Amino acid sequence: MFHAVSSFNNAGFALYSDNLIGFATDPFICLPICAAIILGGLGFPVLLQLRREWRRPLHWSMNTKLVLSLTVTLLVLGTAFITALEWNNPDTLGGYEDLWARVLIGFFHSVQTRTAGFNSVDVGLMHDETWVGMDVLMFIGGGRPAPPAASR
């Protein structure tokens, strides 16, 4: 329950001293946490509009369309970037033989850098180039819109 709340709120707090490293290849832990982070990162305006108009995408606001399309794009690109750069790093993804475990870890870290802060491998052992790409994803962040400007 704690991790579910921490994930949706994009806090990144874990109850384990090694964060979620012990669950790096467990899709039953990593994927629900990722889903909660993505949903929490979309923001309530997008979630409420999707709830009301799920089957009518032509009625979605420009904000909802942008947030959804950029979220998918950044998750795919971030996953490919992190996975490719860390593929042969024996301290991170290179230590795993299974292709899907490596992709899962790459996806997990792509999600985390957008808005949360969990980790399933030691981020300090990643390549410098990976850190730069993760910094870009962190700078972009989630889809919460800025508050409306005050009217005069």
Side-chain angles (χ1 to χ4, degrees):
M1 187 62 122
F2 178 84
H3 288 112
V5 172
S6 180
S7 299
F8 186 79
N9 289 326
N10 289 234
F13 297 124
L15 295 175
Y16 305 101
S17 60
D18 66 350
N19 208 298
L20 297 177
I21 291 175
F23 303 101
T25 60
D26 187 348
F28 296 106
I29 299 294
C30 292
L31 292 178
I33 286 176
C34 287
I37 290 167
I38 292 167
L39 288 173
L42 292 177
F44 284 109
V46 172
L47 293 176
L48 291 174
Q49 184 164 46
L50 289 175
R51 182 175 173 221
R52 283 190 315 263
E53 309 205 33
W54 175 251
R55 297 185 191 270
R56 300 184 320 182
L58 294 176
H59 293 195
W60 294 353
S61 69
M62 181 63 71
N63 178 61
T64 297
K65 291 175 185 177
L66 279 172
V67 167
L68 292 176
S69 62
L70 288 175
T71 294
V72 170
T73 301
L74 290 170
L75 288 175
V76 169
L77 292 176
T79 300
F81 181 81
I82 292 168
T83 304
L85 288 179
E86 294 298 318
W87 190 264
N88 292 321
N89 184 346
D91 297 323
T92 58
L93 300 185
Y96 297 93
E97 295 293 325
D98 185 24
L99 164 78
W100 296 112
R102 292 181 183 194
V103 173
L104 175 64
I105 295 168
F107 174 72
F108 187 81
H109 281 274
S110 178
V111 171
Q112 304 318 308
T113 56
R114 293 287 311 287
T115 56
F118 292 109
N119 64 297
S120 63
V121 294
D122 190 349
V123 178
L125 299 175
M126 290 181 167
H127 296 300
D128 293 344
E129 298 83 7
T130 307
W131 288 347
V132 172
M134 291 171 69
D135 286 346
V136 170
L137 291 172
M138 285 184 232
F139 181 77
I140 295 169
R144 293 180 186 92
S151 59
R152 294 182 180 188

